[in-house]
Amino acid sequence: DQELRVVLVNEDYCKSRAVEKSEVEGRHVTELFDKQFIDGADLHATIERVLETGNQGALPALRHRYRERVEVLNIHISYIGEGQEPRVVMIIEDVTETVEHAYRLSMLRQINAAIQGALQLDKILRLVLTCVTAGRGLGFNRAILLMVNSQNGTLEGWTGIGPRDHGEAAEIYDRMAAENKSLDEIITEGERFKRREDLPLYEMASRMSFPLDDPAELVVRTIRENRAFLVSDAANDVRVSETFREILKADEFVTVPIVAKDEVIGAIVADNNYDGRPLTEERVELLTIFANHAGLAIENGEAYADLEEKIRQLAEAYETLEQTHDKLLQSEKLAVMGQMAASVAHEIRNPLVSIGGFARVILDELPEEHPSHADIQIIVREVDRLEKILKDTLDFARPPSLIKGLCLPNAVIDDIRNMVSAEAEERDLEINCNLDPEIPEMMLDAEQLKQALLNIVRNAIESINWGGRVDIVTQLQNQRVAISVTDTGGGIPEAMLRDVFNPFFTTRPHGTGLGLAVTRKIVEDHGGHIAVRSKLGVGSTFTVYLPARTAAGTEELDE
């Protein structure tokens, strides 16, 4: 009527709203709809305009939230006159299913495109659940994904998506009605869940685990028979076990299989537990079609995972090949050096010793003011350098066998500090030692270990022009001993780091390039390894890792 109160309502309206006529007649029309709908649809003004002008009014495709269901309504308003009391008749046409059917078909195409475009298997599975519950697409409130575990013969809940309770459902549906997000927006929002454990219904899904040889469990029958099941009254359906009923807590649900490579690999369980919309055969058919496409996407994901694994294996094989190639080159260098060292020892060593000996005798007999004194000093110094090169070459090419005995690494480092103290003083630099007192005696070749560490420490000293610091640190790390030497020198360019242990590689004008190569061989002969990190302008750290072994040399120490 003119006061916008309902004078008459038909039975269909009452039936659709589950109300009595007396509950509707006499009420203001705006009381029959929520405030958001009234404001958005401009219903109040439209009715008044029809009453005033007598023209018809139409409000098409209005979205209305009724209880926990979002409806799509067409509202037609026509003028009728009864004597002196003009009135309008308002016809409410519920086109929800028609609109959603078209929407679902469109959404299904988008969903299939979305999941077919994904590659990582975990992402595909999360995406499958997101799409099942995405807005008005397939139209389900909750979706649980179960996957076959062929190793232990069970069907296990993977994870799930959907509201946890009615309160959360109401909040979500209100937001969905207001925002009306696209599928892409829903998928993007779902990507905030990086792990399946973070998804809303993971805890529920994780409680689902059923033996595949139990045909009494309906979801297992879905796998065994490769077909969908629609349950309309779970409480009285003998196909539904009490365990499943207690976990899902839904009277109506559907289960559909997921097939990949002609094998059933899992199942989707979906329901409308919160908005109460019936699960029609059409929805079951749509979910089945979607599950088939999901299976194809999973096949793609598994193929991609296999490809990634093969690429990883190829990369590892290539790395191993490179390492083998490097070792082969090193072995070839060793063989060449062995021949060269024998020749050097035979052809050069004896004459060199004679030259050095006579030069030292002459130097001792000449007074410092003699004009030849400086020249003889140069001869002695250069002979010393050649003897060192010869010794390094022989040590590297024909290293002596390890002679292991009980040895304290900290004691070896103390000896090294004493040996280099004069060199450090000449360069005005500090040698700081921080030695872990927990490091035990170990089975080592003390002399060779001293040579290896001395090479590193001397390199560290020579990297510093003047002033600065060299830190030597020992630590007991689990079942190994770490010995680190850090300098404040100029550092090593990153491009050169991989070559610093190669024979003949050196960055110093007068270096032989054999010191670190000898060091690495000694460390590896002890069953350890050496690592380096460096930064230009800051300095370098060389770390030797040795296995901490007992005197027997077989049992590793406890942490």
Side-chain angles (χ1 to χ4, degrees):
D1 61 18
Q2 288 181 300
E3 296 180 1
L4 305 189
R5 295 192 178 278
V6 177
V7 176
L8 179 68
V9 62
N10 69 353
E11 293 291 342
D12 284 342
Y13 180 88
C14 295
K15 184 178 179 181
S16 69
R17 293 294 187 252
V19 293
E20 298 294 330
K21 294 182 69 172
S22 58
E23 297 177 62
V24 180
E25 293 176 349
R27 294 177 62 187
H28 197 280
V29 70
T30 56
E31 296 178 42
L32 306 181
F33 303 94
D34 61 59
K35 185 177 185 306
Q36 186 176 0
F37 176 83
I38 294 294
D39 295 341
D42 201 22
L43 181 64
H44 189 283
T46 302
I47 296 175
E48 287 186 331
R49 187 166 57 251
V50 172
L51 280 167
E52 186 176 326
T53 65
N55 297 327
Q56 290 188 341
L59 298 172
L62 298 175
R63 306 193 66 78
H64 173 242
R65 168 75 186 280
Y66 181 71
R67 295 180 181 173
E68 291 179 340
R69 182 189 179 207
V70 177
E71 303 173 318
V72 182
L73 307 177
N74 289 339
I75 296 182
H76 306 274
I77 304 172
S78 301
Y79 178 87
I80 57 174
E82 290 189 9
Q84 300 301 316
E85 297 184 29
R87 295 179 181 178
V88 297
V89 59
M90 184 167 68
I91 300 173
I92 303 171
E93 182 185 10
D94 187 343
V95 293
T96 306
E97 284 301 320
T98 303
V99 171
E100 290 197 353
H101 176 75
Y103 179 86
R104 282 194 295 271
L105 292 177
S106 172
M107 182 71 86
L108 189 58
R109 287 192 292 271
Q110 295 179 57
I111 286 172
N112 289 332
I115 64 170
Q116 296 301 329
L119 291 175
Q120 282 81 18
L121 188 57
D122 272 13
K123 182 177 180 179
I124 291 171
L125 296 177
R126 292 197 306 270
L127 192 55
V128 165
L129 293 174
T130 300
C131 291
V132 172
T133 56
R136 306 183 312 281
L138 296 176
F140 294 96
N141 298 165
R142 303 188 302 175
I144 304 288
L145 178 64
L146 298 96
M147 300 296 290
V148 171
N149 186 333
S150 55
Q151 293 183 342
N152 59 17
T154 57
L155 180 64
E156 298 176 352
W158 191 77
T159 194
I161 288 182
R164 295 179 180 87
D165 52 46
H166 282 274
E168 188 175 69
E171 180 184 335
I172 290 172
Y173 298 147
D174 279 341
R175 189 174 72 248
M176 286 171 56
E179 297 174 352
N180 195 24
K181 289 185 177 180
S182 67
L183 176 65
D184 287 341
E185 291 173 320
I186 294 171
I187 289 173
T188 301
E189 185 179 272
E191 286 179 352
R192 72 182 187 276
F193 301 111
K194 300 300 181 185
R195 306 179 309 149
R196 63 190 176 106
E197 291 84 358
D198 299 329
L199 292 171
L201 300 184
Y202 171 76
E203 190 277 332
M204 175 187 288
S206 65
R207 293 161 56 198
M208 295 182 177
S209 181
F210 309 106
L212 288 170
D213 58 1
D214 181 10
E217 191 64 59
L218 183 64
V219 72
V220 171
R221 287 184 61 188
T222 302
I223 302 297
R224 292 165 62 100
E225 299 177 23
N226 188 14
R227 67 186 182 96
F229 288 92
L230 175 60
V231 173
S232 300
D233 183 9
N236 299 306
D237 196 320
V238 295
R239 300 173 300 174
V240 183
S241 70
E242 184 177 349
T243 302
F244 190 84
R245 193 183 303 121
E246 281 299 312
I247 296 173
L248 191 63
K249 289 183 169 57
D251 289 332
E252 189 176 32
F253 63 87
V254 60
T255 70
V256 298
I258 300 176
V259 179
K261 296 179 181 177
D262 298 324
E263 183 179 349
V264 183
I265 61 168
I268 297 173
V269 177
D271 65 43
N272 281 340
N273 202 40
Y274 298 120
D275 66 15
R277 282 183 296 178
L279 298 181
T280 62
E281 290 294 338
E282 182 197 12
R283 291 184 184 277
V284 176
E285 184 179 352
L286 282 173
L287 183 59
T288 303
I289 293 170
F290 170 72
N292 291 336
H293 287 280
L296 293 174
I298 291 170
E299 282 186 27
N300 294 339
E302 289 177 341
Y304 181 75
D306 289 343
L307 181 60
E308 280 193 321
E309 176 62 19
K310 287 177 182 177
I311 291 172
R312 186 191 64 79
Q313 291 175 357
L314 284 173
E316 287 182 355
Y318 180 73
E319 184 178 352
T320 302
L321 183 62
E322 278 196 320
Q323 292 172 355
T324 304
H325 179 67
D326 290 343
K327 289 179 180 179
L328 181 60
L329 288 178
Q330 188 174 353
S331 298
E332 290 175 351
K333 288 179 182 179
L334 285 173
V336 171
M337 287 183 60
Q339 296 172 3
M340 183 186 73
S343 176
V344 167
H346 180 70
E347 299 293 340
I348 298 178
R349 196 172 196 184
N350 291 337
L352 191 61
V353 169
S354 298
I355 293 169
F358 283 119
R360 290 184 187 94
V361 170
I362 294 171
L363 188 64
D364 290 341
E365 292 178 352
L366 285 178
E368 288 190 11
E369 62 273 13
H370 192 284
S372 299
H373 188 276
D375 296 333
I376 301 300
Q377 272 188 323
I378 293 172
I379 293 173
V380 170
R381 188 165 59 247
E382 290 303 303
V383 167
D384 287 343
R385 190 170 71 86
L386 289 172
E387 287 179 340
K388 183 179 183 303
I389 293 173
L390 182 61
K391 179 181 180 300
D392 285 349
T393 304
L394 289 170
D395 287 345
F396 184 72
R398 296 180 179 176
S401 301
L402 295 181
I403 303 175
K404 290 185 178 181
L406 282 175
C407 165
L408 275 171
N410 288 349
V412 172
I413 292 170
D414 283 334
D415 289 345
I416 291 173
R417 176 168 53 182
N418 293 331
M419 293 172 66
V420 301
S421 59
E423 299 174 47
E425 287 178 10
E426 287 179 7
R427 294 174 180 267
D428 191 30
L429 57 84
E430 299 176 18
I431 304 289
N432 298 324
C433 293
N434 184 4
L435 309 181
D436 188 345
E438 299 297 322
I439 293 178
E441 286 187 319
M442 298 163 58
M443 292 299 294
L444 302 167
D445 186 321
E447 289 304 314
Q448 290 205 40
L449 178 63
K450 183 184 296 184
Q451 180 185 352
L453 296 177
L454 186 59
N455 289 339
I456 298 175
V457 173
R458 280 192 169 140
N459 279 353
I461 291 172
E462 292 176 7
S463 73
I464 303 171
N465 292 327
W466 185 262
R469 191 177 73 254
V470 174
D471 295 323
I472 307 174
V473 178
T474 62
Q475 288 180 304
L476 186 61
Q477 299 177 346
N478 295 335
Q479 296 174 342
R480 66 181 183 178
V481 171
I483 305 170
S484 298
V485 179
T486 302
D487 64 64
T488 56
I492 305 168
E494 186 176 352
M496 295 183 179
L497 281 179
R498 62 175 295 171
D499 295 321
V500 294
F501 298 109
N502 290 338
F504 305 115
F505 178 84
T506 180
T507 58
R508 301 199 309 272
H510 302 294
T512 64
L514 291 172
L516 289 178
V518 170
T519 293
R520 181 171 70 173
K521 189 168 192 324
I522 292 172
V523 171
E524 290 177 350
D525 286 347
H526 279 83
H529 70 280
I530 185 170
V532 59
R533 66 178 188 275
S534 185
K535 187 173 182 180
L536 283 176
V538 177
S540 305
T541 297
F542 286 81
T543 304
V544 170
Y545 298 97
L546 297 171
R549 292 192 173 92
T550 64
T554 56
E555 297 178 4
E556 292 187 343
L557 296 173
D558 293 332
E559 182 175 346

